[in-house]
Amino acid sequence: MDEPNRPTVTPDDVRRVARLGRLSLGEDELGPFAEQLGAVLAYFGQLDELDVAEVEPLFHPSDHHSVTRPDEPGDTLPPSAALGNAPRRRDGFFEVPKVLDSGGSA
């Protein structure tokens, strides 16, 4: 039974999301994942109900600054490891779909 204001997530929705994430799910997993995804979306719906009109936007919730290592050259991955999970590759490079037409300026 659906909770009030709980989004309905169907097994087809889960299939679509799994395909986008390149995940392989069995038919027996679709129902539980649909239920869990619906619960997550319902929680985000609760967050939408909060009145944040008077809340100052924050860049970061604490005064701590990111501590990172220096960006220094080091060993790189061999091409076979870097391209190991690439869905498409050509001549040792990632192959990606064309997203811009060639006629005009940026």
Side-chain angles (χ1 to χ4, degrees):
M1 175 180 281
D2 285 342
E3 296 173 15
N5 299 326
R6 183 169 181 166
T8 301
V9 178
T10 67
D12 286 336
D13 295 328
V14 175
R15 272 190 204 93
R16 191 174 315 113
V17 171
R19 185 182 56 78
L20 291 171
R22 299 188 185 280
L23 301 174
S24 177
L25 297 179
E27 289 296 315
D28 59 326
E29 297 174 291
L30 297 176
F33 276 114
E35 194 172 314
Q36 292 171 11
L37 186 54
V40 169
L41 294 174
Y43 179 73
F44 281 113
Q46 289 176 1
L47 294 177
D48 280 342
E49 295 172 11
L50 295 174
D51 179 13
V52 294
E54 301 297 321
V55 177
E56 292 274 333
L58 295 175
F59 175 71
H60 197 278
S62 73
D63 291 332
H64 290 81
H65 297 284
S66 178
V67 179
T68 58
R69 64 173 174 74
D71 189 13
E72 297 174 359
D75 294 335
T76 60
L77 289 174
S80 60
L83 295 168
N85 289 326
R88 295 186 345 205
R89 53 190 160 263
R90 183 189 307 169
D91 300 325
F93 295 96
F94 291 97
E95 184 177 345
V96 297
K98 183 177 176 180
V99 294
L100 300 174
D101 65 21
S102 60
S105 60

